[in-house]
């Protein structure tokens, strides 16, 4: 079987969030099991791409409305990722360092639609000319949502119409929504089906993909259910497409996330050396931020945005920092400017108990997973969430809101066989109660050690979920 994953991100080539981690890992597992699983993504002007060698597979010209653009499909020569990686070079569109935003201004690129439309058109032109066509085309999020539309509707791609498409929704908060004028930039299609592109009077790339793909998946079962009543305006569409939808929980790349071999952490450890490994890594982390390691360390890693509930953190942490309680809080991430200001003020105010690093830093993230006692995720929306699985692999106990993928992967310690701390409502007082439960757990050394052992024994690898994707591919091919 020959599957192509189309995505804007893929770790370690280009990463903004969890999408990259999934697209960088799932194909690796699939590739071993089914023969051929490749990733196709835009060729950004970033360091990783500059440091690796690519060979040209195809040079072409394709239309974007009245204009023609040039593109090159290139393949990474050394196969360093464990699966074939193809990048699409489109001069003038992707030869910039940012994936979605300009790092200097922090705003989206003005030609967002044109960038991803030309990427998708170039990919389909390439596939159109392939002698052996792909068996499955697997799209990820709205940046590739026009692919199923074009494959079923554009005259130019009628030879691809029979190929099954899957669209995985990693985040339905973002739709790729534009004025309908932009639809003239797509290759010609039957105007009577114009409505397939539409949602609420706009050209909506995610909606178009959901309507026209063969199979919708999302990254947890609970999130699949939630989308029918909470998907930023697409609720009715998700309800309508339920028959072709399924939730498959993400796995994690257990090669990248392995405390035994992780070169990004100060001291490697495994289950047997867990207590010592945690202690040593915590010491390093606390020294770096001037914290006292005898207190519990509770960390947050992620984008500082509404969706992740990051706006709850300043008040939540301050209620503890202002009281007599001895606890440390660590934050790593970037996002909302207002939150940056609040965390900067807290850095000055709570020296010795609090540190926020307002940056994207992959290796610091690993050290935080290894050195913390708890990881907090108060998300408003969480399609799957990977951090709770990463932290458990490092013996760090998750404190999470009971939603989406968090609900499907974290079982509360109050339940039989439980191993995490959960809370239901998105509000300060339940979150405060959860943090208090974490502090109490920390003080009960024996129970804490038992929970750590339990979480380090859990299997969150891709093995089980990759199998579910393969079954799904088989079913689609049979259709
Ligand atoms: C998005 C979601 C996150 C999920 C990830 C990978 O970043 O917000 O919950 O884990 O995609 O699917």
């Amino acid at each position: 079987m020959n599957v192509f994953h189309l995505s804007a991100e893929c770790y370690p080539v280009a990463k903004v969030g969890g999408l990259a981690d999934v697209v960088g890992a799932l194909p690796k597992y699939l590739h071993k099991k089914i023969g051929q699983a490749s990733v196709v993504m835009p060729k950004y002007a970033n360091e990783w791409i500059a440091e690796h060698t690519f060979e040209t597979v195809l040079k072409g010209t394709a239309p974007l409305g009245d204009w023609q653009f040039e593109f090159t499909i290139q393949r990474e020569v050394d196969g360093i990722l464990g699966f074939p990686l193809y990048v699409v070079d489109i001069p003038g569109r992707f030869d910039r360092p940012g994936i979605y935003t300009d790092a200097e201004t922090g705003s989206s690129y003005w030609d967002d639609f044109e960038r991803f439309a030309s990427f998708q058109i170039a990919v389909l032109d390439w596939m159109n000319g392939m002698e052996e066509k792909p068996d499955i085309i697997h799209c990820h999020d709205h940046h590739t949502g026009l692919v199923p539309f074009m494959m079923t509707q554009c005259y130019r791609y009628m030879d691809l119409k029979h190929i099954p498409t899957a669209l995985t929704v990693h985040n339905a908060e973002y739709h790729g929504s534009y004025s309908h004028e932009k639809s003239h930039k797509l290759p010609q299609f039957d105007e009577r089906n114009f409505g397939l592109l539409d949602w609420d009077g706009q050209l909506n790339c995610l909606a178009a993909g959901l309507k026209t793909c063969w199979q919708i998946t999302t990254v947890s079962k609970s999130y699949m259910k939630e989308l029918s009543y909470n998907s930023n305006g697409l609720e009715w569409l998700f309800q309508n497409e339920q028959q072709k939808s399924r939730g498959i929980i993400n796995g994690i790349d257990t090669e990248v996330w392995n405390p035994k071999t992780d070169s990004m952490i100060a001291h490697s450890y495994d289950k047997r050396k867990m207590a010592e490994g945690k202690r040593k890594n915590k010491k390093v982390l606390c020294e770096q931020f001037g914290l006292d390691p005898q207190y519990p360390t509770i960390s947050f890693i992620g984008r500082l945005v509404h969706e992740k509930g990051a706006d709850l953190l300043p008040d939540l942490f301050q209620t503890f920092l202002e009281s007599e309680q001895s606890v440390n809080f660590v934050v790593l991430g970037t996002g909302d400017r207002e939150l940056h200001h609040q965390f900067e003020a807290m850095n000055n105010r709570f020296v010795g108990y609090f540190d926020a690093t307002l940056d994207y830093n992959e290796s610091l993230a690993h050290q935080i997973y290894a050195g913390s006692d708890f990881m907090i995720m108060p998300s408003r929306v969480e399609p799957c969430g990977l951090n709770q699985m990463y932290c458990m692999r490092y013996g760090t106990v998750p404190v999470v809101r009971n939603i989406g993928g968090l609900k499907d992967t974290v079982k509360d310690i109050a339940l039989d066989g439980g191993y995490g701390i959960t809370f239901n409502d998105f509000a300060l007082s339940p979150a405060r109660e959860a943090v208090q439960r974490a502090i109490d757990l920390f003080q009960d050394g024996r129970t804490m050690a038992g929970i750590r052992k339990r979480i380090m024994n859990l299997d969150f690898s891709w093995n089980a979920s990759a199998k579910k994707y393969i079954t799904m591919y088989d079913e689609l091919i049979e259709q």
Side-chain angles (χ1 to χ4, degrees), residues 262-420:
D262 191 336
S263 59
M264 294 190 227
I265 63 175
H267 301 278
S268 48
Y269 58 102
D270 59 10
K271 281 181 259 184
R272 283 177 310 115
K273 296 244 168 84
M274 187 259 295
E276 189 193 336
K278 291 297 290 177
R279 187 168 34 76
K280 285 185 174 167
N281 280 297
K282 184 173 183 184
K283 190 159 174 266
V284 170
L285 185 70
C286 288
E287 266 165 19
Q288 183 171 352
F289 295 133
L291 310 172
D292 187 338
Q294 66 172 312
Y295 305 138
T297 298
I298 304 180
S299 302
F300 172 90
I301 299 179
R303 287 177 296 124
L304 304 175
V305 295
H306 182 82
E307 200 190 319
K308 301 287 170 198
D311 49 315
L312 195 71
L313 298 175
D315 285 346
L316 175 63
F317 293 168
Q318 282 179 92
T319 52
F320 289 91
L321 292 167
E322 281 164 359
S323 74
E324 292 297 296
Q325 297 245 29
S326 299
V327 50
N328 303 320
F329 294 105
V330 170
V331 171
L332 171 65
T334 59
D336 188 74
R337 295 291 133 177
E338 172 53 33
L339 280 175
H340 280 222
H341 295 316
Q342 290 188 38
F343 285 132
E344 271 157 11
M346 288 171 68
N347 271 344
N348 296 326
R349 200 170 148 213
F350 301 108
V351 176
Y353 295 94
F354 175 82
D355 184 275
T357 304
L358 303 168
D359 199 0
Y360 169 83
N361 185 332
E362 197 73 19
S363 57
L364 177 57
H366 284 241
Q367 186 60 40
I368 294 176
Y369 288 117
S372 304
D373 300 299
F374 300 94
M375 179 73 35
I376 182 155
M377 299 177 74
S379 308
R380 280 191 179 79
V381 180
E382 196 60 81
C384 173
L386 299 167
N387 294 2
Q388 78 279 15
M389 298 190 261
Y390 296 152
C391 78
M392 288 192 266
R393 184 121 166 98
Y394 287 72
T396 297
V397 181
V399 180
V400 304
R401 183 156 173 246
N402 222 346
I403 186 122
L406 297 173
K407 187 172 175 174
D408 297 355
T409 51
V410 181
K411 188 170 182 190
D412 195 278
I413 46 171
L415 302 170
D416 196 24
Y419 45 82

Side-chain angles (χ1 to χ4, degrees), residues 34-285:
I34 61 172
Q36 188 88 320
S38 313
V39 169
V40 190
M41 67 188 296
K43 187 175 190 188
Y44 305 103
N46 70 16
E47 229 172 85
W48 195 96
I49 290 186
E51 283 166 1
H52 291 79
T53 315
F54 295 86
E55 65 185 5
T56 297
V57 175
L58 175 82
K59 261 180 189 297
T61 320
L64 185 71
D66 297 335
W67 296 88
Q68 295 283 320
F69 68 92
E70 286 178 4
F71 68 87
T72 320
I73 309 285
Q74 300 173 1
R75 183 189 160 105
E76 195 271 323
V77 174
D78 301 316
I80 195 160
L81 299 184
F83 52 82
L85 169 72
Y86 296 92
V87 292
V88 183
D89 189 19
I90 305 178
R93 295 288 182 206
F94 287 105
D95 41 4
R96 315 169 191 174
I99 300 178
Y100 310 119
T101 52
D102 186 333
E104 269 170 38
T105 61
S107 46
S108 321
Y109 290 118
W110 65 273
D111 56 349
D112 216 23
F113 177 82
E114 288 75 5
R115 296 169 82 222
F116 286 103
S118 48
F119 166 65
Q120 296 172 84
I121 290 170
V123 172
L124 292 182
D125 264 39
W126 170 40
M127 293 181 171
N128 226 5
M130 283 180 181
E131 221 162 88
E132 249 183 68
K133 299 272 188 283
D135 293 312
I136 301 271
I137 297 184
H138 191 149
C139 304
H140 296 268
D141 278 351
H142 73 83
H143 313 99
T144 55
L146 292 173
V147 163
F149 172 83
M150 290 193 281
M151 285 172 66
T152 51
Q153 305 300 320
C154 292
Y155 304 122
R156 190 177 177 90
Y157 302 125
M158 282 304 104
D159 284 351
L160 302 175
K161 200 172 179 166
H162 65 282
I163 303 175
T165 50
L167 173 60
T168 295
V169 180
H170 296 262
N171 195 332
E173 294 295 295
Y174 306 100
H175 299 174
S177 204
Y178 305 92
S179 142
H180 271 306
E181 279 165 34
K182 300 269 186 198
S183 62
H184 301 298
K185 306 215 164 170
L186 301 178
Q188 212 189 356
F189 56 92
D190 185 344
E191 293 282 333
R192 284 173 301 181
N193 293 339
F194 180 79
L196 290 171
L197 290 172
D198 177 78
W199 197 256
D200 267 349
Q202 294 268 91
L203 190 177
N204 185 314
C205 298
L206 182 61
L210 295 171
K211 292 181 202 176
T212 53
C213 70
W214 292 37
Q215 175 76 53
I216 298 171
T217 79
T218 188
V219 289
S220 70
K221 281 202 161 75
S222 289
Y223 186 54
M224 191 81 254
K225 287 186 207 140
E226 290 163 14
L227 285 169
S228 292
Y229 56 88
N230 181 16
S231 48
N232 199 10
L234 294 179
E235 295 75 12
W236 185 80
L237 179 54
F238 277 107
Q239 286 165 30
N240 223 29
E241 301 292 357
Q242 239 163 32
Q243 268 126 321
K244 64 168 187 188
S245 303
R246 70 177 79 174
I248 301 179
I249 193 82
N250 286 332
I252 61 172
D253 188 329
T254 47
E255 286 170 20
V256 174
W257 301 96
N258 182 356
K260 198 173 173 186
T261 53
D262 191 336
S263 59
M264 294 190 227
I265 63 175
H267 301 278
S268 48
Y269 58 102
D270 59 10
K271 281 181 259 184
R272 283 177 310 115
K273 296 244 168 84
M274 187 259 295
E276 189 193 336
K278 291 297 290 177
R279 187 168 34 76
K280 285 185 174 167
N281 280 297
K282 184 173 183 184
K283 190 159 174 266
V284 170
L285 185 70

